Amino acid sequence: MVILGGGPAGFAAAVRAHELGARVAMVNDGHLGGACYHGGCVPSKALVRASQAHHRANRSPFAGLRSGSELVDFAALVRQRDELLAGLRRREYEEVLAGLPRLSYFCGRGRLRGRTAVEVTADSGEGRLLRAERVLIATGASPRLPALPGLDGVGCLTSAEALSLTELPEALLVLGGGYVAAELGQAFARLGSRVTILTRGEQFLSGQPVDVAEALAGFFREEGVDIVTGVEALAVERRGGRVVLRARVAGEEAEFAGSHLLVATGRRPNTDDLGLEEAGVERAPGGGVAVDDKLETSAPGVFAAGDAIRPLFVYLAAYEGALAAENALGSRRRPREDGPLPWVIFTDPQASGVGMDVDEARQAGFDAEAVTLPLERVAGTLVAREARGFVRLVRDRASDRLLGARLVAPEGGELVAELTLAIRHGLTTAELAASFHPYLTRSEAVRLAALQFRKDVAHLSRCAG
């Protein structure tokens, strides 16, 4: 089996294919670990956590305590993070690959030459041809840049480039309103940058329910982040050492200036110049590789997984990579499961969710009902003085089964696993309400929200409820 790509999908496929007894060749022309370890998940969350520690130290909510934090060396912060990344990459990728004796690693660009051959071109220009019974396309995704006049000449930042900066931006313009814009925008603002987020949609985080988006936008603005919605970007240029974005907002032309411009307008699958047409591999709308429910492409024996299909989550990519290897090499093929998929936006508070929100559930034909529990009803969040946000649960009235959840809460992503299991295994909200959750933990919010389908928890004793 030849695997194109060395990120989570390709790596999971390589390990599983090796377990199944196959000889494996991995072809990778980027950083081992993919975007997850280079300009993506891990480096961004490291910056987010550093900014949170700095922010909270300067704003203790407890009376009688004085604390503080000073950013004295942004480059040192970046070096520490890079040392962490190097250690993780070595332990979780390089050392594991070294323990797979039937795996050969090729550093270079891979291109399909029909259904059973891959041409590998190294950086030196040297090439070789690999032949295989099965091929997996796991080439990941890259930032999508808009067709904006002047963008090529201003030295804009992608997420990877923003995370590679060794000097803190003085004034950061962020073009985009999704999770990357939110996470990095808040992180840089908390570390001292003046941040303006410019989003095309009529609300911040346009893919989220209005109350989730408005709650986070309100918290951001309280911290000094400027959020402008309904922005139609017209052109960008360098003027007097600044990046100047010319736009139309509410029918009026406006200009926004900053020291740096971060473009966070989505991601696109890395499927160009792979020889897809030569191999008979069809594309899906959006540029990804089209696959069936077994992850096989239109070319028999050629499979695809992860962000090469559609950019989403690293844990989904790893699952698909392992499944694709099993289906490619095994005697029985299993369909991809489209179970409840949890997600987290690592802002502070975090936004997270799983399953359907109430409108989605009603559109799907359920007699759906939702309850929203403010975190000020949860004793643990009051004690911690972190009661910003809410938990919303959605159920089917007829069966009482949990259908979905949306949360805005400090560390709210830690609660999503329980709710994912509840949906996956068909638990009712009555069962959630009857389950034991340790007092003064954030997880009590799940039980109290489930209980609110039957009682107004505002009238219950918190420790005897």
Side-chain angles (χ1 to χ4, degrees), residues 24-95:
V24 183
M26 176 179 284
V27 181
N28 185 47
D29 70 340
H31 294 266
L32 193 58
C36 184
Y37 281 77
H38 179 72
C41 311
V42 181
S44 66
K45 278 41 172 191
L47 185 72
V48 164
R49 290 302 186 181
S51 73
Q52 288 177 359
H54 178 62
H55 177 81
R56 291 173 182 177
N58 281 318
R59 292 166 177 78
S60 173
F62 296 98
L65 296 182
R66 178 183 297 168
S67 62
S69 175
E70 182 181 359
L71 179 62
V72 295
D73 191 343
F74 182 74
L77 192 67
V78 174
R79 284 195 302 271
Q80 182 190 46
R81 182 206 63 199
D82 289 345
E83 290 169 1
L84 170 67
L85 290 173
L88 289 172
R89 190 180 295 114
R90 182 173 58 252
R91 185 176 72 241
E92 298 190 6
Y93 282 84
E94 295 171 4
E95 292 178 1

Side-chain angles (χ1 to χ4, degrees), residues 166-190:
T166 56
E167 293 185 5
L168 185 72
E170 176 262 321
L172 180 65
L173 299 179
V174 182
L175 186 60
Y179 68 93
V180 173
E183 291 177 0
L184 295 187
Q186 185 183 42
F188 278 112
R190 285 183 162 190

Side-chain angles (χ1 to χ4, degrees), residues 123-160:
D123 290 341
S124 64
E126 181 183 357
R128 66 182 301 165
L129 193 67
L130 306 177
R131 296 197 178 275
E133 297 175 354
R134 298 288 185 269
V135 174
L136 174 68
I137 301 168
T139 46
S142 300
R144 176 187 281 114
L145 299 180
L148 181 62
L151 190 62
D152 292 340
V154 299
C156 70
L157 304 171
T158 64
S159 57

Side-chain angles (χ1 to χ4, degrees), residues 62 77 84 121 188 274 324 378 396-397 426:
F62 296 98
L77 192 67
L84 170 67
T121 305
F188 278 112
L274 287 180
V378 183
D396 173 32
R397 292 178 194 267

Side-chain angles (χ1 to χ4, degrees), residues 395-465:
R395 71 165 181 171
D396 173 32
R397 292 178 194 267
S399 65
D400 191 40
R401 287 179 55 182
L402 184 69
L403 299 177
R406 296 293 181 270
L407 303 87
V408 174
E411 307 299 336
E414 304 296 338
L415 305 180
V416 171
E418 175 185 1
L419 295 165
T420 302
L421 285 171
I423 296 171
R424 184 179 184 87
H425 295 287
L427 295 189
T428 64
T429 65
E431 289 171 320
L432 276 178
S435 61
F436 290 108
H437 290 73
Y439 185 48
L440 295 178
T441 64
R442 290 184 176 91
S443 69
E444 264 201 307
V446 172
R447 184 183 74 86
L448 292 172
L451 187 62
Q452 188 143 299
F453 281 111
R454 293 155 187 84
K455 298 180 180 180
D456 183 355
V457 299
H459 299 133
L460 296 179
S461 165
R462 285 188 170 91
C463 59

Side-chain angles (χ1 to χ4, degrees), residues 49 216 344-352 407-414:
R49 290 302 186 181
L216 280 180
V344 183
I345 302 175
F346 287 85
T347 50
D348 183 27
Q350 294 174 354
S352 58
L407 303 87
V408 174
E411 307 299 336
E414 304 296 338

